[in-house]
Amino acid sequence: MTEEEQQLAALRERAVAELATIETTDGLDEWRLRYLGRERGELSAILKGLGRLPGDQRKQVGQAANLVKVELEGLAETRRGELRAQERAAALEREQLDVTLPGRPITRGHMHPLTRTTRQIAEIFERMGFQTFQGPEVETDYYNFQALNIPQDHPARDMQDTFWVLPGQILLRTQTSPNQIRIMERMRPPVRAIVPGKVYRSEATDASHEAVFHQVEGLLIDETCTMSDLRGVVERFAHEMFGANRKIRFRPSYFPFTEPSAEFDMDCINCDGAGCRICKYSGWLEMGGSGMVHPKVLRGVGYDPAIYRGFAFGLGIERIAMLRYGVEDIRLFSENDLRFLSQFR
Ligand code: FA5
């Protein structure tokens, strides 16, 4: 064995022994550079030195060196495969996800008590043949006041303090009544409609007054309608909502767009009319305003008051929800306190 062949055998042995101790792919890269690297690799140095050997030796050592090179390359690739598998397994171990952990429950939402009340109200009136409509919250002075027989500078405007968007022209509606006009402009009698929705008034708030609250408007127009039909419809509503024993009373009132006008109350559900804190010891709870649609309003939308007549009413939805659920402060509905809201699941 020539000196070169001995050198080669020793190099092979060292390389194979070292390879077995390598634990990372980075370490393997270094090993590769050290033994097989083109520039500074030990095997390359032997191959480069072949030129100095006599012809027959050059061939022999060259072949042996190539065999060692191929063998080491093969061993290195096998080791690389093993190390990669180890590294992947270690990474998986580190990133382990325990899929047996129970998930975090997603709490289900539910309807706001006012939405629920509004839907119940609509269902009751729908059973009486009323159709539900919606109207704009940003209204014109014309629909909110003028077409309802409340001209500019009329003292009746003082009953509803107003948020103006464009002073004198555009406002946040103070009542759902402008929808009486919008509906009559679009439909020919007979009309049976209700319009629930938000209304706005520049009011000081207290336990029974909000600046943003909800009303439901009712409108019925045909050829034979009377005030007793109004009473029948309101009473039927109260019975379906609060039970068949409830009493309704009408009090004379004033609204420029109805004649005659009346406010209606229901006997207090807390004390059955005996008088208590809830009804301020009167025995009655105010529910809404109403009346027979004013002939001027009918004429304004092109209905002939000699042929058509009708009634309209406006109910406060918060007031109804307060009675239904025994809520004593109207402000709770808009405070978004989950301790309050989650009671209405
Ligand atoms: C009106 O708004 C008339 N548009 C009702 C009407 C309709 C009359 C059709 C004739 C024909 P009033 O301002 O009284 O009327 O309000 C009606 C109801 O809304 C009240 O009975 C009350 O239940 C409720 N309401 C009024 N102001 C507030 C407030 N600040 N907060 C909560 N509810 C209110």
Side-chain angles (χ1 to χ4, degrees), residues 177-188:
S177 299
N179 295 292
Q180 292 182 28
I181 310 300
R182 290 186 173 277
I183 286 167
M184 288 191 284
E185 279 179 350
R186 271 189 292 163
M187 290 173 78
R188 296 286 97 194

Side-chain angles (χ1 to χ4, degrees), residues 207-208 266-286 319-329:
S208 54
M266 186 175 73
D267 62 332
C268 179
I269 55 171
N270 190 49
C271 61
D272 277 333
C276 68
R277 198 165 49 87
I278 305 270
C279 61
K280 301 202 183 80
Y281 302 96
S282 71
W284 296 96
L285 298 159
E286 181 194 311
R319 300 274 170 87
I320 291 169
M322 286 168 82
L323 294 176
R324 195 167 165 81
Y325 298 119
V327 174
E328 292 193 10
D329 194 321

Side-chain angles (χ1 to χ4, degrees), residues 251 255 262-265 285-290 313-316 319:
R251 284 178 287 115
F255 298 102
E263 277 178 287
F264 50 94
D265 307 324
L285 298 159
E286 181 194 311
M287 292 188 73
S290 65
F313 57 85
L315 292 162
R319 300 274 170 87

Side-chain angles (χ1 to χ4, degrees), residues 16-51:
V16 171
E18 235 174 74
L19 188 60
T21 67
I22 286 171
E23 288 302 334
T24 63
T25 46
D26 286 348
L28 183 65
D29 289 339
E30 278 170 32
W31 176 92
R32 239 186 146 278
L33 272 179
R34 208 162 345 107
Y35 291 103
L36 301 169
R38 279 228 187 119
E39 294 293 317
R40 278 169 296 148
E42 290 189 31
L43 194 66
S44 307
I46 292 175
L47 285 169
K48 273 183 203 153
L50 285 180

Side-chain angles (χ1 to χ4, degrees), residues 67-181:
L67 279 178
V68 170
K69 187 176 174 200
V70 170
E71 186 194 359
L72 291 183
E73 297 266 17
L75 288 173
E77 279 324 293
T78 310
R79 186 80 189 125
R80 188 178 296 281
E82 289 165 6
L83 291 175
R84 280 214 181 119
Q86 274 173 22
E87 284 173 0
R88 263 199 305 272
L92 275 180
E93 186 70 28
R94 272 197 311 279
E95 293 162 16
Q96 206 181 45
L97 185 72
D98 184 356
V99 290
T100 64
L101 269 181
R104 290 193 190 96
I106 299 169
T107 43
R108 261 175 80 176
H110 58 90
M111 264 192 277
H112 189 280
L114 289 179
T115 309
R116 202 147 111 183
T117 306
T118 306
R119 291 198 183 179
Q120 281 168 341
I121 295 170
E123 272 168 27
I124 293 172
F125 283 111
E126 278 163 15
R127 281 201 290 277
M128 289 191 260
F130 288 76
Q131 211 182 329
T132 305
F133 292 88
Q134 286 195 318
E137 288 175 26
V138 179
E139 256 307 356
T140 60
D141 184 81
Y142 176 77
Y143 283 107
N144 197 82
F145 291 127
Q146 290 171 47
L148 290 165
N149 196 27
I150 314 173
Q152 230 121 36
D153 302 321
H154 192 282
R157 290 197 177 207
D158 296 345
M159 295 199 296
Q160 301 178 2
D161 252 339
T162 312
F163 291 113
W164 290 101
V165 176
L166 204 64
Q169 291 176 50
I170 297 175
L171 55 116
L172 299 180
R173 67 181 178 195
T174 58
Q175 49 185 350
T176 44
S177 299
N179 295 292
Q180 292 182 28
I181 310 300

Side-chain angles (χ1 to χ4, degrees), residues 213-257:
F213 60 100
H214 297 76
Q215 288 186 337
V216 56
E217 193 76 9
L219 177 70
L220 185 146
I221 310 279
D222 63 19
E223 292 177 19
T224 59
C225 166
T226 68
M227 195 93 181
S228 60
D229 295 314
L230 165 65
R231 191 183 172 106
V233 165
V234 169
E235 241 167 29
R236 173 70 176 271
F237 165 75
H239 290 168
E240 295 227 4
M241 195 76 185
F242 296 104
N245 297 330
R246 297 273 68 98
K247 291 191 211 55
I248 291 289
R249 78 169 181 191
F250 278 69
R251 284 178 287 115
S253 185
Y254 171 73
F255 298 102
F257 40 96

